[in-house]
Amino acid sequence: MTEAPSPTVSPAAQLLHRCVDHLLAKDMPGFLAHWHDDAVAEFPFAPPGYPRRLDGIAAVTGYLIDYPKLIDIAEFPDVTVHQSVDPDVVIAELTATGTVVPTGQPYRMSYVVVVTVRDGRIAHYRDYWNPLAAPDLTGAAVIPVGTDV
């Protein structure tokens, strides 16, 4: 469980902490409920053949709903949230640890995410993860989230 943010933390940062808690609980419907219907998710470092941009909640849901079947996140040992000058934008540095479900191998990945919140929900999510680290974890090519394995 993540440490509860103080009341002086921006609503955007509080939302990010709630989202991390949903991921730890493997509650993808709860996680996705925090996204706007017209949300955009971007993955600037996605390898060829994988989406670099998802438009709308249906696309985001299709991509993320089965995430716990691929990566079993046990904890986020490092979560640092930086408030931008815009109270609706936060930048977070996160490290996730757990297990790659198809192989049983340990999982550890660091992320930098930029989250823009509108009306208390995620409107834009930009995820800078390292796809080159994934083959070392799976022993194969990067597994696209949302794929039956």
Side-chain angles (χ1 to χ4, degrees):
M1 187 80 74
T2 61
E3 186 177 312
S6 75
T8 59
V9 173
S10 75
Q14 290 177 26
L15 175 64
L16 184 65
H17 282 281
R18 285 194 303 278
C19 286
V20 166
D21 287 341
H22 284 294
L23 291 173
L24 287 171
K26 292 142 192 59
D27 176 10
M28 297 313 290
F31 173 73
L32 293 162
H34 292 294
W35 291 67
H36 268 283
D37 289 344
D38 62 350
V40 172
E42 293 182 301
F43 308 95
F45 299 140
Y50 295 82
R52 294 187 72 154
R53 181 182 169 108
L54 302 168
D55 288 289
I57 191 62
V60 172
T61 297
Y63 186 75
L64 292 175
I65 195 69
D66 290 331
Y67 190 83
K69 293 179 183 176
L70 298 171
I71 306 294
D72 180 4
I73 297 175
E75 72 174 319
F76 286 94
D78 301 310
V79 177
T80 303
V81 179
H82 305 278
Q83 182 62 58
S84 75
V85 294
D86 182 338
D88 293 329
V89 177
V90 291
I91 300 97
E93 300 173 75
L94 307 106
T95 300
T97 62
T99 305
V100 178
V101 175
T103 66
Q105 294 296 310
Y107 179 81
R108 182 177 184 87
M109 180 74 72
S110 294
Y111 303 84
V112 173
V113 296
V114 180
V115 180
T116 303
V117 174
R118 177 174 27 96
D119 303 322
R121 296 190 336 191
I122 297 171
H124 192 259
Y125 180 90
R126 189 173 298 125
D127 188 339
Y128 296 92
W129 62 284
N130 180 3
L132 299 177
D136 295 333
L137 299 170
T138 64
V142 176
I143 300 171
V145 175
T147 300
D148 291 331
V149 184

